[in-house]
Structures are given as C-alpha cells and as structure tokens.
Amino acid sequence: MKARIPTHREFIIDFPKDMDQAKADEGWAKLTQIVEDYKKAHNGQSVYAPTFIEDCEPAVKALQEAYGFTYTVQQVR
C-alpha cells in the first residue's frame, strides 16, 4: 500500500538542552494540546491543513515566551 503525503509546513521545536526535563515535557504537552484544539475547532483538520501554521503561530509564540524554546517553520515533502 502506498500513501502520498502532501507537501506541507511544520513547526520544528527545539527546547534548550539545559532545560529541566519536566518543564520541557510540560511545554511539549501544551504544544500537543494546541494541535488537538486545532483539530476540534477545524472539523478534524490536521497539521496538513494549508493554514495550520498561521492559525497556530500566535499560541506557539506565547508558549515560546513561557518555555524558552526556539522554533522554525520548515517545508516538508
């Protein structure tokens, strides 16, 4: 079986290496919640939706301030 995954953009998240693991896990859980909330609000759409980055970036930036991670947006094939 073959599956074709469309070209899309993704957030690439990097937590500081010296960050306490519990705090990084907490931040990651909140990032995961952003994705789940997005799915609920957009009829099950996922990270493959064309506007996912634009819709979620404000929430990601807010968490970035709280948890100190860096992120980039990368085109993925």
Side-chain angles (χ1 to χ4, degrees):
M1 180 176 163
K2 291 184 180 181
R4 183 169 296 193
I5 298 174
T7 299
H8 64 284
R9 295 171 297 150
E10 293 180 353
F11 286 107
I12 307 300
I13 308 289
D14 288 313
F15 283 91
K17 296 194 184 323
D18 60 348
M19 178 180 277
D20 177 61
Q21 188 61 46
K23 185 173 182 178
D25 290 345
E26 179 182 299
W28 191 253
K30 290 182 179 185
L31 288 163
T32 303
Q33 189 60 49
I34 290 171
V35 174
E36 294 304 316
D37 292 345
Y38 182 83
K39 289 179 188 178
K40 290 176 188 172
H42 293 88
N43 297 323
Q45 290 185 11
S46 70
V47 297
Y48 300 113
T51 62
F52 173 77
I53 298 295
E54 290 79 7
D55 294 341
C56 296
E57 195 162 28
V60 171
K61 283 184 179 185
L63 285 179
Q64 180 185 33
E65 289 181 22
Y67 290 92
F69 58 81
T70 59
Y71 77 90
T72 57
V73 176
Q74 184 175 21
Q75 187 77 24
V76 179
R77 294 182 185 188

